[in-house]
Amino acid sequence: MQRVISVLAISMIFSVAFLIGCAVKSTPQIGEKFMSTSKILFNIETDKQLDVSKMKDWDIIVDPDAIPSEKYAGEEFQRLFKEATGMMLPINSKAQGESNHVYIGKATSEKLGEEELMVIVNKDSLIITGGRPRGTLYGVYQFFEDAFGVRFLTFDHTYIPKSTDVKIPVGEFRYNPPFLFRWSYYAENSKEPEFAARLRVNTVTHAEKLGGVTPQNLINHSFHWLLPFDKYGAEHPEYYALFEGKRDTETGGGGPQLCVTNKDVIRIVAENAISYLDQHPNMRNISVSQANTARYCHCDECEAINKREGTPMGSQLAFVNAVAKLIEQKHPDVKVGTLAYWYTRKAPKTIKPRHNVQIQLCSIECCTLHPIDDPTCEKNRAFCQDMEEWSKICNDIWIWNYNTNFRYYDLPFPNLRVIGPNVRYFLRNNAKGVFM
Ligand SMILES: [Zn+2]
Ligand SMILES: [Zn+2]
């Protein structure tokens, strides 16, 4: 059991490390080395360096107007710096004199994204700042990973090399994570939100101290609440899928599916989605997506589109586009997410997602022994064909990746060597969100 736990823990660390760490769209390499030691910050050659051994009389400056996650970032800097160097720097709210200060969350005229971070290294000062609410806190963790080689391995164990002779290149470094939505679904992240924050999982806690969550939400099945069968089924059976010659009444898996070419269905689903968004004004995406069943509509109108488009995704995507167009009129900043899953994984021949539509592919059929971009693996080759077709027509792709064996949860899952290459592959193909 001990081994199982440690394998799971390592697997989790890798999944989140790769989610935050995909700094650049690198040249594709099949099955890239699974353990990356590359840095996001400080990748320059320079003789000018901040000598950490000279910092013992410095202090940490956190502005009194800092938000909770920036104040916590100051405390985290203090704690990690003490562990790494033995030097305990005091936290103050105002700088005395020009030099020998670490500024955490310093105001900047730069326009930074909500997780974008900036680290400015001088010989006599250090600034770690970022967009609100998570940029500064994530900046502190990135700083310690890249400057000191710190690794956040489990919630109760952080690997901190003891070092007083670290030298950090002088310069200005900036980073905006390419994945907006990062959810590593291992239990330790949910149970230990402070640990999740260290790994920059931005989906598990609303705690302000930890920067809260991204306003993007996991894309998931939603027909069951956008057009509840309980509410509309008796009076309007025609709203639901025609399956095996009858209007479906099967509610398993969040069914029945909808008749997606029915004009009233389009209108009501859009109205219900808009009303939900009115009540949740911070949401930046909403799921409009098929139920978890293969009993999709086979009426003449739906089937005509599917036949023409070469996939049941034809009618589904036409529907999602129509709903997304109506939602945009009231909520222009909200995206509409839908699943490309199972029988809808393949992109249609001619219908493209609207600019406000997100497509979430699901890798449930994939092999986890080989990297997803390994051309010798037949199962994975089929997934890549679909993903690459989608990436030509959509710049906001999400992935529901499978990190466990749903039949035997306790078995080790042999994906340690593929998480890194897989995440990099997703990034090269326009992925903006990953759930794994
Ligand atoms: Zn239909
Ligand atoms: Zn394989």
Side-chain angles (χ1 to χ4, degrees):
M1 197 59 194
Q2 187 58 45
R3 186 171 157 269
V4 173
I5 291 167
S6 64
V7 167
L8 283 174
I10 292 166
S11 178
M12 173 179 69
I13 303 307
F14 280 15
S15 72
V16 291
F18 287 120
L19 284 182
I20 191 70
C22 286
V24 286
K25 293 195 177 190
S26 55
T27 315
Q29 282 185 323
I30 307 301
E32 287 161 293
K33 256 179 77 178
F34 75 98
M35 183 63 187
S36 170
T37 53
S38 64
K39 293 178 182 179
I40 283 170
L41 308 173
F42 315 133
N43 289 313
I44 57 166
E45 292 290 330
T46 171
D47 295 338
K48 290 188 187 152
Q49 292 170 324
L50 164 60
D51 182 348
V52 168
S53 71
K54 305 224 165 85
M55 289 175 69
K56 68 177 188 308
D57 296 323
W58 289 35
D59 63 356
I60 300 165
I61 306 299
V62 180
D63 195 277
D65 294 333
I67 59 173
S69 64
E70 291 165 349
K71 289 181 177 161
Y72 180 63
E75 293 162 17
E76 285 288 83
F77 185 95
Q78 183 185 50
R79 178 179 71 82
L80 291 164
F81 193 78
K82 165 84 168 41
E83 294 252 351
T85 67
M87 298 179 221
M88 180 71 177
L89 307 186
I91 299 177
N92 292 315
S93 57
K94 209 164 186 307
Q96 304 291 332
E98 287 290 298
S99 48
N100 300 354
H101 307 293
V102 178
Y103 295 92
I104 301 293
K106 194 176 203 289
T108 165
S109 56
E110 300 283 336
K111 181 139 179 53
L112 299 169
E114 64 191 40
E115 295 183 345
E116 189 168 7
L117 58 96
M118 203 158 87
V119 176
I120 301 171
V121 183
N122 295 304
K123 284 188 167 184
D124 59 356
S125 72
L126 170 65
I127 300 171
I128 302 177
T129 192
R132 287 181 167 175
R134 289 177 294 283
T136 297
L137 181 59
Y138 289 0
V140 166
Y141 295 137
Q142 197 64 53
F143 171 83
F144 280 98
E145 285 187 345
D146 290 350
F148 286 87
V150 166
R151 292 291 181 269
F152 304 102
L153 296 181
T154 67
F155 80 95
D156 59 355
H157 182 75
T158 300
Y159 170 69
I160 305 178
K162 307 289 178 217
S163 182
T164 48
D165 61 357
V166 165
K167 294 189 174 56
I168 305 168
V170 165
E172 190 173 316
F173 308 93
R174 204 163 153 165
Y175 179 67
N176 202 10
F179 291 112
L180 303 178
F181 177 96
R182 303 179 297 275
W183 195 346
S184 171
Y185 196 56
Y186 290 96
E188 197 160 354
N189 279 321
S190 313
K191 284 187 194 153
E192 308 290 344
E194 291 179 353
F195 177 58
R198 285 174 205 146
L199 298 179
R200 282 139 279 169
V201 169
N202 63 356
T203 42
V204 301
T205 176
H206 288 271
E208 285 184 25
K209 182 182 98 168
L210 302 175
V213 295
T214 167
Q216 299 280 333
N217 301 278
L218 180 63
I219 297 166
N220 212 339
H221 310 285
S222 70
F223 280 1
H224 62 284
W225 69 268
L226 287 170
L227 199 77
F229 184 71
D230 284 356
K231 184 170 173 187
Y232 299 95
E235 211 174 325
H236 292 286
E238 76 281 8
Y239 287 178
Y240 298 91
L242 186 72
F243 189 76
E244 293 175 343
K246 295 199 305 262
R247 291 291 165 179
D248 203 14
T249 59
E250 181 58 61
T251 54
Q257 302 283 11
L258 306 182
C259 176
V260 287
T261 49
N262 183 305
K263 297 278 184 296
D264 290 332
V265 168
I266 294 169
R267 176 180 55 78
I268 298 168
V269 165
E271 283 169 5
N272 288 342
I274 288 166
S275 144
Y276 190 82
L277 289 167
D278 290 344
Q279 292 158 41
H280 300 85
N282 294 327
M283 282 176 67
R284 283 295 160 268
N285 70 337
I286 187 166
S287 295
V288 176
S289 197
Q290 69 201 63
N292 197 4
T293 139
R295 300 160 74 89
Y296 61 88
C297 189
H298 287 66
C299 79
D300 290 346
E301 289 77 9
C302 290
E303 276 297 83
I305 301 177
N306 295 342
K307 207 165 167 209
R308 198 180 71 219
E309 296 292 336
T311 162
M313 189 52 161
S315 60
Q316 295 287 327
L317 186 57
F319 168 76
V320 172
N321 279 344
V323 172
K325 189 175 176 188
L326 295 171
I327 290 176
E328 187 185 27
Q329 291 166 8
K330 183 80 191 290
H331 293 282
D333 298 331
V334 173
K335 293 258 191 157
V336 176
T338 200
L339 300 171
Y341 162 61
W342 195 357
Y343 54 90
T344 61
R345 200 183 74 185
K346 186 168 143 56
K349 281 184 192 155
T350 67
I351 300 175
K352 297 178 172 55
R354 283 189 102 242
H355 63 90
N356 63 333
V357 168
Q358 300 168 317
I359 298 292
Q360 180 169 279
L361 282 104
C362 305
S363 61
I364 191 166
E365 298 88 355
C366 288
C367 152
T368 53
L369 202 58
H370 300 113
I372 241 161
D373 58 348
D374 182 340
T376 66
C377 179
E378 201 175 317
K379 284 183 169 180
N380 292 354
R381 205 163 60 224
F383 179 88
C384 288
Q385 276 167 6
D386 290 345
M387 173 127 204
E388 284 157 29
E389 287 304 314
W390 281 112
S391 77
K392 288 177 197 162
I393 56 174
C394 181
N395 65 4
D396 198 353
I397 292 180
W398 290 36
I399 305 289
W400 182 306
N401 196 45
Y402 289 76
N403 267 14
T404 191
N405 182 332
F406 283 103
R407 289 199 171 81
Y408 304 101
Y409 279 106
D410 289 342
L411 283 181
F413 198 65
N415 65 347
L416 213 52
R417 289 172 176 76
V418 304
I419 295 172
N422 288 0
V423 169
R424 291 188 199 102
Y425 172 80
F426 299 148
L427 182 65
R428 289 198 300 274
N429 287 282
N430 289 344
K432 298 287 191 298
V434 177
F435 171 80
M436 62 198 309

